Amino acid sequence: MASPFPERGLARLRQIWQRPFALALMGIALCGCSFDLGSLMPEKDKPQEAPKAAAPAESAVSAGNVTEAQAHTAKAQSLAKSGETAAALDEFNRAVGLDPYNAQALYGRALIYQGNNQHDFAIADFTAASGLNPQKVEPLLGRATSYLALGKVKEAAADLDEASEADPHNAQVWTTRGQAYERLGDKAKAAASYTRAVSLRPRDDAARSGLARVGG
């Protein structure tokens, strides 16, 4: 597996996205989402390696593996926050290898893949993390961001619809939902989403700009 090079990956992604809100979306991926999900704890799911998503478990993971995986996850999160993404990816891989049901490790690894423009891998890990913890906003928002990067706008909008229902007070979800529907040409839904974002976070420049673009 190639080591990620975030700056070069981000440069490629900026070339792909030639829209006013492109940089805002990458902000969601790399800044708005924390590597530490806190409440996302491992649950049962079938072991898989990226880019495949997880499925129902066939056997349990030992307590020792779970504990060791959590230690690797914590180390990976610390490395990622320090910008050492290649080392963090190695630690996340070890964590997932030991405990494929570790949603925190899957989510953290997905963010690194996303930052490296490896969106298919990112989507697989976001999907696995979301399956382990349904209705959690972070994996849905992360997956939507990667879908948008790949031009899969309808898929992104579906994730953002679900995320907005799961946490209607999350301003970032509404901003990104507005961007998705703006790309789909649905100005009414885009305006409604941007308006909701601004009501929750009045200084959200991306939402305010989007609202001006769609005539809200």
Side-chain angles (χ1 to χ4, degrees):
M1 181 179 298
S3 298
F5 299 96
E7 293 183 0
R8 187 166 60 190
L10 286 172
R12 290 198 301 269
L13 189 54
R14 284 194 291 267
Q15 292 171 1
I16 293 172
W17 291 357
Q18 299 297 323
R19 293 182 178 274
F21 44 79
L23 296 180
L25 289 177
M26 283 312 298
I28 297 166
L30 301 179
C31 300
C33 296
S34 169
F35 282 91
D36 184 1
L37 291 185
S39 62
L40 277 188
M41 299 303 295
E43 296 177 12
K44 295 296 181 69
D45 212 31
K46 183 177 180 179
Q48 295 286 351
E49 295 181 359
K52 297 179 180 179
E58 294 178 353
S59 60
V61 176
S62 71
N65 277 17
V66 169
T67 300
E68 188 175 351
Q70 289 173 345
H72 283 295
T73 300
K75 183 177 180 181
Q77 290 167 343
S78 179
L79 287 166
K81 290 173 183 177
S82 299
E84 300 179 56
T85 53
L89 181 60
D90 288 340
E91 292 298 322
F92 280 131
N93 283 336
R94 292 187 180 97
V96 174
L98 287 163
D99 179 9
Y101 320 134
N102 187 322
Q104 290 178 309
L106 288 163
Y107 176 78
R109 189 171 71 172
L111 287 179
I112 292 178
Y113 284 145
Q114 189 174 70
N116 193 39
N117 201 24
Q118 295 175 289
H119 292 290
D120 288 330
F121 278 33
I123 287 168
D125 276 355
F126 283 133
T127 298
S130 183
L132 288 162
N133 290 266
Q135 293 297 301
K136 284 292 181 182
V137 169
E138 295 91 342
L140 290 169
L141 179 57
R143 187 169 65 181
T145 302
S146 280
Y147 277 143
L148 287 171
L150 296 176
K152 297 182 177 181
V153 187
K154 290 183 179 179
E155 290 87 340
D159 274 352
L160 293 162
D161 285 346
E162 184 177 349
S164 67
E165 292 176 3
D167 184 2
H169 302 293
N170 188 312
Q172 190 62 70
V173 168
W174 289 107
T175 297
T176 313
R177 185 175 185 267
Q179 292 164 346
Y181 278 107
E182 183 178 351
R183 289 178 66 171
L184 288 172
D186 191 332
K187 291 187 176 182
K189 284 188 177 180
S193 297
Y194 287 137
T195 299
R196 186 64 179 274
V198 171
S199 71
L200 291 167
R201 191 165 61 189
R203 294 185 179 181
D204 188 330
D205 290 337
R208 293 169 67 89
S209 297
L211 192 57
R213 286 194 303 272
V214 298

